[in-house]
Amino acid sequence: MDGLIPGALFLIMFALGLNLRDNHFDLIRNRSALLLRVLLGTCVLVPLVAMIILWLPLSFELSQPAKLSIALMAVCPSASLTLRKAGKAGGNAQMAGYLQMVVAIAAIISIPLMAELFTTVFKGQGWEIRPIHVAMNVGQVQILPLLLGLLLRRWLPAWSESAEPFFNKLANLLLLLVLVVILVKAFPLLIPFASKNLLALALMAVMVIASLLIRYLLAGPDPKERTTVSLVTSLRNPCLALLFAQINAPQMLELKLSILTYLVLTIIFSIPFLNWRKRLAMGT
């Protein structure tokens, strides 16, 4: 488990770097306003929504793993599913890839800052997450493989084109293996966890819906951009959240189960939105 989580995240970001083509960088250079809105939404607004939810008196009834999972998923942007989901839902897959890249780079600053803010506001409940350690972890498992993939795409474009599908499949396989291992270990706790954490499930659903709604504050009128920005903002990074959980609380199995629950709820509540955007893109 110690090697699976960072290994899967490393390969996901490496495959993303291989996928990003130089001739599409104008998507970032020429859309700085959109880029800033996306960074504001995914790195700042979504964590602040989580902070407000966890500040409500209602959340005092939540278990510690549930609280920490909401906080971790909120502060961890740049989901590995964004690129594929955007392409299938009528969005702009290349724009999703570049936005994901920029958000991943910004995360090396935003995650430590937000972790420090959560620790300060909630008086260190849970564990102390040191910003320097968070920045180092993000740099090692996200920025380093991303830059490596980008460099190989520039230096060996033909090889990158042929190798990118293989690394994508390998990364997804590792991620699936991580989820299966955690579910196998946590399965005896699944029903008791769900029965004891109905309020947590409801608040996670509120978080997912709020993240999708934030798109109306971020995207312009273009339908493809609205779909893309919504996915980049709402889909969080469970692999990165699981990594921080493994580093800071390796024995807290309910925390990992709670993170997976958040992921499942994100997928469930995103399906109607994705189907709606796909029908719009098809003109039906």
Side-chain angles (χ1 to χ4, degrees):
M1 180 61 67
D2 291 346
L4 277 178
I5 296 175
L9 190 52
F10 188 98
L11 281 174
I12 287 168
M13 299 310 296
F14 176 70
L16 174 62
L18 289 180
N19 184 71
L20 298 178
R21 293 157 178 79
D22 290 341
N23 61 337
H24 287 95
F25 267 103
D26 56 349
L27 288 173
I28 293 177
R29 287 194 297 264
N30 299 333
R31 303 302 307 278
S32 57
L34 175 65
L35 177 59
L36 290 175
R37 294 199 302 271
V38 170
L39 289 175
L40 174 65
T42 193
C43 295
V44 179
L45 294 183
V46 171
L48 288 181
V49 169
M51 187 172 294
I52 292 171
I53 288 176
L54 294 176
W55 188 260
L56 295 174
L58 190 65
S59 68
F60 296 167
E61 302 298 323
L62 296 179
S63 66
Q64 195 65 13
K67 291 179 181 178
L68 292 173
S69 66
I70 292 174
L72 278 175
M73 287 292 277
V75 303
C76 290
S78 180
S80 58
L81 300 174
T82 305
L83 189 63
R84 188 168 64 252
K85 291 287 185 182
K88 292 182 178 180
N92 187 324
Q94 278 297 313
M95 175 178 282
Y98 285 102
L99 290 177
Q100 184 184 347
M101 178 192 72
V102 174
V103 170
I105 294 173
I108 201 169
I109 298 174
S110 71
I111 293 179
L113 290 177
M114 285 298 165
E116 182 70 16
L117 182 59
F118 270 81
T119 301
T120 301
V121 169
F122 296 105
K123 298 179 172 56
Q125 295 177 16
W127 63 68
E128 181 183 357
I129 301 180
R130 297 182 180 275
I132 184 63
H133 293 163
V134 175
M136 290 176 62
N137 288 326
V138 174
Q140 290 171 359
V141 299
Q142 288 213 131
I143 307 307
L144 179 62
L146 177 64
L147 293 178
L148 180 59
L150 285 170
L151 289 175
L152 287 174
R153 160 62 67 177
R154 176 179 290 272
W155 294 338
L156 301 170
W159 178 86
S160 299
E161 192 73 30
S162 60
E164 186 265 334
F166 168 77
F167 283 105
N168 255 335
K169 291 179 181 178
L170 182 59
N172 290 332
L173 181 63
L174 267 181
L175 179 57
L176 179 62
L177 183 58
V178 169
L179 301 181
V180 168
V181 169
I182 293 175
L183 282 175
V184 168
K185 288 185 176 182
F187 187 76
L189 301 174
L190 185 59
I191 296 178
F193 175 84
S195 62
K196 291 189 303 183
N197 292 275
L198 294 177
L199 177 60
L201 269 60
L203 293 180
M204 289 176 186
V206 170
M207 273 294 304
V208 174
I209 294 171
S211 299
L212 283 168
L213 290 177
I214 285 174
R215 76 182 180 89
Y216 289 105
L217 302 174
L218 304 175
D222 184 271
K224 286 190 174 183
E225 287 187 7
R226 282 191 168 182
T227 301
T228 305
V229 171
S230 295
L231 289 172
V232 172
T233 302
S234 62
L235 295 180
R236 314 310 286 172
N237 196 327
C239 207
L240 194 55
L242 286 169
L243 176 62
F244 291 137
Q246 179 68 21
I247 291 172
N248 292 280
Q251 304 305 319
M252 196 183 293
L253 188 57
E254 282 198 354
L255 172 58
K256 298 170 187 175
L257 182 58
S258 190
I259 291 172
L260 293 182
T261 302
Y262 192 114
L263 173 62
V264 170
L265 289 173
T266 300
I267 294 172
I268 290 174
F269 281 91
S270 296
I271 287 173
F273 168 77
L274 293 173
N275 289 337
W276 172 54
R277 301 308 299 181
K278 187 175 182 180
R279 287 196 300 270
L280 286 180
M282 295 173 63
T284 59

